[in-house]
Amino acid sequence: EAKRDPGTSYRFYDRQLHISAGYQLRLEADLRNALRGNELELYYQPRIDLASNDVRGVECLLRWNHPERGLVGPDEFIPVAERSGLIVPIGYWVIEQACKRLQESAELGFPGLVFAVNLSFRQFHDRKMTETIFRIIFNANVDTSLLELELTESAMMHDPEYAQRCLRELNQLGISFALDDFGTGFSSLSNLQHLPISLVKIDKSFVQALGESADAEHIIRAIISLAHSLQISVVAEGVETESQLEFLRQQHCDEIQGYFYARPMPWADLVQFLNKRGESACLQL
Ligand code: C2E
Ligand code: MG
Ligand code: MG
Ligand code: MG
């Protein structure tokens, strides 16, 4: 049909592009208001230590309570935030909020819980990053050894010297680093060995391919053994089934995160979740 009537087809595509650009602009304008209007919220997903069965920590995951659209996930708005630069103030808000919760968690009787925060490419390359993070943690007065920042390989490898300097500076303050979504750029773990990374998170695509692809098994085995040989711990993301869990346990994966144990949840639900786990642990003793 497009061949028979190129004019119509052109208008069709043009209109699509227009809608899409308009949609992006609208989302961007809305996002600007979201930060001011208290529409952003952190959800928390527990990470379970396989040796002790304890909740080691939580990953802080951003959600947007949009007044008309309802709950919007980060895959939809983080790219818009990245392109517009809004990710920088939003990202600092996330760290501030995480520090607040970290403080609160100790008061609620969960000391030692690690809070992991995602840092995007653009935020990591903000010239005021280390200084701003320093100010936030100083004002919040938190135990920095419980704060972990998650970065992807591409964010770290874009400018390795810059990454090395920033990671070392923040690491000296007590902050630790995790390499997120690991596995897709597998060859470069050796490039990262001089960076202060204490944790690698295996991308959920590998975990979810377990049982269907022998390659996934091999890759996971190789990541765990390479990471362990560099004294780096391993978290598997996206664990949804018992058989995935059993495989990871056999491979001595350190921690897991996934729907099998818990979904990301609002703060009040996390507190309830931790209280329940605490009670059942007491009952077992
Ligand atoms: P990520 O950092 O790799 O986070 C893990 C994602 O996997 C989360 O998606 C989580 O909800 C999801 N997940 C966890 N367990 C399972 C499971 O068992 N099955 C499946 N199918 N998914 C699972 P979410 O919350 O939609 O976040 C998507 C991505 O958005 C994150 O990926 C992260 O890259 C980014 N993001 C989230 N919050 C922030 C933030 O505060 N700042 C920045 N810069 N990026 C963020
Ligand atoms: Mg992450
Ligand atoms: Mg990830
Ligand atoms: Mg991801």
Side-chain angles (χ1 to χ4, degrees), residues 1-10 13:
E1 264 191 82
K3 271 183 198 150
R4 259 186 281 137
D5 191 352
T8 309
S9 137
Y10 174 75
Y13 285 116

XYZ file of all heavy atoms in Angstrom, residues 1-10 13:
90
model
N 0.822 -1.205 0.000
C 0.000 0.000 0.000
C 0.861 1.263 0.000
O 0.579 2.211 -0.698
C -0.926 0.016 1.223
C -2.322 -0.513 0.911
C -3.265 -0.239 2.067
O -3.791 0.860 2.178
O -3.439 -1.156 2.880
N 1.936 1.199 0.750
C 2.850 2.335 0.800
C 3.410 2.637 -0.598
O 3.590 3.793 -0.964
C 3.989 2.049 1.753
N 3.620 1.569 -1.393
C 4.170 1.752 -2.737
C 3.155 2.436 -3.645
O 3.505 3.255 -4.465
C 4.540 0.386 -3.331
C 5.976 -0.019 -2.994
C 6.327 -1.341 -3.648
C 7.541 -1.938 -2.959
N 7.531 -3.393 -3.011
N 1.881 2.066 -3.478
C 0.845 2.633 -4.331
C 0.565 4.098 -3.993
O 0.209 4.886 -4.824
C -0.447 1.807 -4.211
C -0.621 0.869 -5.395
C -1.960 0.175 -5.330
N -1.913 -0.941 -4.381
C -2.885 -1.194 -3.521
N -3.956 -0.452 -3.470
N -2.773 -2.228 -2.710
N 0.724 4.451 -2.772
C 0.401 5.828 -2.389
C 1.481 6.396 -1.457
O 1.306 6.474 -0.239
C -0.964 5.862 -1.700
C -1.468 7.290 -1.524
O -0.702 8.235 -1.803
O -2.608 7.453 -1.098
N 2.616 6.751 -2.046
C 3.722 7.220 -1.206
C 3.357 8.473 -0.404
O 3.839 8.662 0.696
C 4.843 7.506 -2.206
C 4.197 7.580 -3.542
C 2.947 6.781 -3.467
N 2.465 9.305 -0.978
C 2.097 10.541 -0.285
C 1.435 10.266 1.053
O 1.815 10.807 2.084
N 0.479 9.354 1.021
C -0.229 8.989 2.241
C 0.736 8.394 3.256
O 0.693 8.718 4.435
C -1.319 7.943 1.928
O -2.091 8.435 0.854
C -2.192 7.697 3.128
N 1.576 7.529 2.697
C 2.494 6.836 3.588
C 3.458 7.836 4.240
O 3.770 7.737 5.416
C 3.219 5.747 2.786
O 4.574 5.733 3.094
N 3.870 8.822 3.486
C 4.763 9.851 4.033
C 4.069 10.604 5.169
O 4.622 10.763 6.246
C 5.181 10.836 2.925
C 5.973 11.989 3.456
C 7.310 11.835 3.827
C 5.369 13.233 3.636
C 8.023 12.893 4.348
C 6.077 14.294 4.153
C 7.411 14.114 4.503
O 8.102 15.170 5.034
N 3.900 8.498 8.329
C 5.123 8.419 9.131
C 5.435 9.742 9.801
O 5.878 9.807 10.931
C 6.297 7.960 8.268
C 6.218 6.486 7.983
C 6.048 6.031 6.694
C 6.267 5.568 9.017
C 5.940 4.683 6.421
C 6.157 4.215 8.759
C 5.995 3.772 7.469
O 5.879 2.454 7.207
